[in-house]
Amino acid sequence: MAKRGKNYRASVEKFDRSQLHEVKEAMKLVTETSKAKFDETIEVHVRLGVDGRHADQQVRGAMVLPHGTGKSVKVLVFAKGAKAEEAQAAGADYVGAEKIQSENWFDFDVVVATPDMMGVVGRLGKVLGPKGLMPNPKSGTVTMDLTKALADIKAGKVEYRLDKQNIIHTIIGKKSFGEEKLEENFKALIDAIIKAKPAAAKGQYLKSVTVTATMGPGIKVNPAVLSQ
């Protein structure tokens, strides 16, 4: 195992890593234990009591965080004709598929497509899929309303979905947001995940919830208080 840095070890000594914390306390700790010289991203990792191998237990969606993500997002839009013009006017960074096809180019963070362009996008599935960039109706990235889609993404839209271990990994902002804004973003995200609970899910839904800064230790949030 790689040796942890001095700042990380000092942060770990500040609290009991096995303890479950209230949300407010967790946000205080995650900012206090963020010691890097850059503005660290604050991440959330949620283990759910579902089995994502079954279609009726999948959890996936998207929502706009109240205070955004603090990240500048570049958007590639697959559209043609008037919709391509709409995308340009709405602030798309790139429109069209030619560059990615010819140059294996990935200078973008999110892909949006109109439904009539999914045939083109589908041919790029082997390139976009492994990077988690395939547009999807459930995340609002396959749509005819490009103006709204781009506005939401630029405002701080995040996508949440299960990985193979039934864990959701996403972000709630930057350390510089401060405890209050991070708490509001965190609660909005958890509310969205709870509302997305599949009818087929049985037993405890929120198994564990952890927040962490990019270079900091994981801080456990008490899942029992989140479901109330």
Side-chain angles (χ1 to χ4, degrees), residues 17-74:
R17 294 192 70 188
S18 66
Q19 183 180 343
L20 297 177
H21 300 275
E22 300 291 320
V23 177
K24 190 175 292 294
E25 184 183 6
M27 296 307 133
K28 183 174 185 290
L29 283 171
V30 81
T31 53
E32 287 180 350
T33 56
S34 171
K35 300 293 186 182
K37 294 180 180 179
F38 61 92
D39 191 8
E40 294 184 63
T41 297
I42 307 302
E43 306 166 3
V44 178
H45 308 277
V46 184
R47 182 184 296 277
L48 297 180
V50 298
D51 187 346
R53 293 174 298 179
H54 301 291
D56 63 353
Q57 294 190 49
Q58 273 293 324
V59 179
R60 181 173 186 172
M63 48 89 66
V64 178
L65 295 171
H67 302 288
T69 64
K71 297 179 69 174
S72 177
V73 180
K74 291 184 179 180

Side-chain angles (χ1 to χ4, degrees), residues 96-157:
E98 293 78 10
K99 194 170 183 179
I100 185 174
Q101 289 175 312
S102 62
E103 301 178 20
N104 196 30
W105 159 85
F106 291 101
D107 186 27
F108 51 89
D109 306 293
V110 180
V111 179
V112 176
T114 52
D116 61 313
M117 292 296 288
M118 286 307 290
V120 175
V121 178
R123 293 196 289 273
L124 295 170
K126 290 182 180 179
V127 177
L128 296 174
K131 295 181 178 291
L133 292 169
M134 275 295 287
N136 187 289
K138 290 184 178 180
S139 63
T141 48
V142 178
T143 178
M144 290 298 287
D145 193 348
L146 298 177
T147 300
K148 182 180 186 303
L150 284 158
D152 286 349
I153 291 167
K154 296 289 186 177
K157 185 177 184 177

